[in-house]
Amino acid sequence: MGGGGWKGRAWPGCASAAPHRSFRMVHAKIWTLKKHFEGNPTDSNFELKTVELPPLKNGEVLLEALFLTVDPYMRVMAKSLKEGDKLMGQQVASVVESKNSAFPTGTIVLASSGWTTHSISDGKELEKMPAEWPDTLPLSLMLGIVGMMGLTAYFGLLDICGAKSGETVLVNAAAGAVGSVVGQIAKLKGCKVVGTAGSDEKVAYLKKLGFDFAFNYKTIESLEETLKQASPDGYDCYFDNVGGEFSNTVITQMKKFGRVAICGAISTYNRTRPLPPGPSPEIIIYQQIRMEGFIVYRWQGDVRQKALKDLLKWVCEGKVQYTEYIIKGFDNMPAAFMGMLKGDNLGKTIVKA
């Protein structure tokens, strides 16, 4: 996550947990893109390398990853990498050696270090753990509901869709890291919420979270009829994580002046055939529907800090719930990534280093 961070604090006990060692002996394990993805990623797309890190310079810190994230956007952004490059992504890390007074040993930070166990930073892009972070709350939530995923849901629903009390919100991939937060914030704001997911277990989870209507899109006979059953009057807001034919069907049921936040299109990311045609222009024109794509980094500074504080407050008060799908071991990063793209996860996929 970019932008200025909260004033932070060190994680109690973290400094003592990191043994003193000669920095020159630190070796980082790094997952690299061995060859570009074609269709579904496979093990052959990834290569694990080990590199020796150089000594710290003044102003630098050595980070050790605690938790790492895998997210759908990585499947798309990997196109911008060269073969052999380190895969991108955020991690929650501990400062294990420091030559920067702003980040003493033991400080917990959010870093965009990519798929690596250790990294060196000059501190400019690091974000400290919030000072008000409760000891009882997992640090991994900085990668999820009180981080990029939560912010994506927050701004997509409240700014792009402009959801208001009494309106009907539809969200797909609703049991995922973003969709589950979208639905819960919509309920907090007084909306009726309809969610779709890909398994009965996930549908049960959505109902537990308070969704008004949820269904398994894989087992229904007709998406069109099920959407009509869920909301006969149509939809004011559509938070789209899936794209493709699914979205073409939804657009036909948007209310006049409906708003669509295009967050992702996971149904198309691994596709090797041409993409399906888009929605009917006539419907968009005559229903006066507004569709807008967005990236969460658009929101910085004070608005971003307010959103993070809102999310942290809602989580602490139990108004927004979370589920993490935790996979242990840095060596399992590719497996976690591929499983997330297939929908193995309920909630946010996290790798514990």
Side-chain angles (χ1 to χ4, degrees), residues 63-81:
L63 302 176
E64 183 172 73
L66 302 174
F67 299 97
L68 302 99
T69 181
V70 289
D71 301 300
Y73 80 87
M74 296 173 179
R75 173 63 180 83
V76 179
M77 292 302 293
K79 296 175 185 177
S80 65
L81 298 178

Side-chain angles (χ1 to χ4, degrees), residues 22-327:
S22 169
F23 183 78
R24 289 183 181 274
M25 297 301 292
V26 175
H27 289 80
K29 294 167 74 174
I30 297 173
W31 278 108
T32 63
L33 183 69
K34 185 174 183 180
K35 64 178 182 178
H36 281 287
F37 304 127
E38 294 179 18
N40 293 309
T42 66
D43 287 334
S44 62
N45 291 117
F46 306 92
E47 184 175 9
L48 184 61
K49 296 181 179 178
T50 301
V51 298
E52 184 174 339
L53 297 179
L56 289 185
K57 299 174 184 174
N58 286 333
E60 291 183 334
V61 296
L62 171 64
L63 302 176
E64 183 172 73
L66 302 174
F67 299 97
L68 302 99
T69 181
V70 289
D71 301 300
Y73 80 87
M74 296 173 179
R75 173 63 180 83
V76 179
M77 292 302 293
K79 296 175 185 177
S80 65
L81 298 178
K82 296 176 182 176
E83 292 181 348
D85 283 353
K86 177 178 64 177
L87 287 145
M88 77 287 287
Q90 292 184 320
Q91 58 176 246
V92 175
S94 169
V95 175
V96 292
E97 186 172 336
S98 177
K99 289 191 175 182
N100 185 326
S101 60
F103 297 93
T105 301
T107 303
I108 300 299
V109 297
L110 188 69
S112 295
S113 301
W115 293 19
T116 181
T117 57
H118 297 81
S119 57
I120 293 172
S121 170
D122 62 7
K124 291 178 181 176
E125 300 298 322
L126 299 181
E127 182 164 0
K128 293 182 181 179
M129 180 176 69
E132 57 268 45
W133 194 276
D135 292 335
T136 54
L137 211 59
L139 295 173
S140 51
L141 297 190
M142 293 170 66
L143 297 169
I145 197 168
V146 194
M148 185 192 291
M149 302 299 108
L151 291 169
T152 300
Y154 184 103
F155 290 117
L157 180 69
L158 302 180
D159 277 25
I160 303 296
C161 281
K164 302 177 186 67
S165 179
E167 292 189 324
T168 301
V169 174
L170 172 67
V171 56
N172 49 22
V178 173
S180 59
V181 185
V182 170
Q184 292 183 84
I185 295 176
K187 289 302 296 179
L188 276 179
K189 298 300 180 180
C191 299
K192 175 183 175 181
V193 181
V194 177
T196 74
S199 75
D200 292 343
E201 177 195 12
K202 291 178 179 180
V203 169
Y205 175 63
L206 297 181
K207 292 177 178 176
K208 179 183 173 185
L209 292 180
F211 281 57
D212 297 284
F213 194 103
F215 63 89
N216 181 348
Y217 72 90
K218 293 181 179 178
T219 57
I220 56 172
E221 289 187 9
S222 166
L223 177 59
E224 183 178 5
E225 290 304 316
T226 307
L227 288 172
K228 285 179 180 177
Q229 179 188 349
S231 182
D233 296 332
Y235 298 89
D236 299 284
C237 302
Y238 171 38
F239 195 106
D240 184 16
N241 294 304
V242 172
E245 293 94 341
F246 189 106
S247 290
N248 288 349
T249 302
V250 173
I251 296 301
T252 65
Q253 299 193 33
M254 296 298 294
K255 293 182 183 180
K256 189 168 281 188
F257 304 111
R259 291 90 66 199
V260 180
I262 305 174
C263 174
I266 198 168
S267 71
T268 69
Y269 291 164
N270 290 326
R271 196 179 185 118
T272 54
R273 303 189 310 276
L275 296 179
S280 165
E282 290 85 354
I283 294 172
I284 296 170
I285 294 166
Y286 288 101
Q287 289 295 91
Q288 301 183 66
I289 298 168
R290 178 167 59 82
M291 303 174 70
E292 184 174 349
F294 72 100
I295 298 173
V296 71
Y297 295 112
R298 181 193 307 185
W299 293 271
Q300 295 293 339
D302 291 345
V303 293
R304 182 175 174 280
Q305 296 309 312
K306 179 186 182 301
L308 284 170
K309 289 180 179 179
D310 284 346
L311 291 163
L312 182 59
K313 179 173 180 283
W314 292 336
V315 170
C316 291
E317 292 174 350
K319 292 179 178 177
V320 174
Q321 300 175 52
Y322 64 89
T323 295
E324 295 182 300
Y325 186 79
I326 296 180
I327 295 173

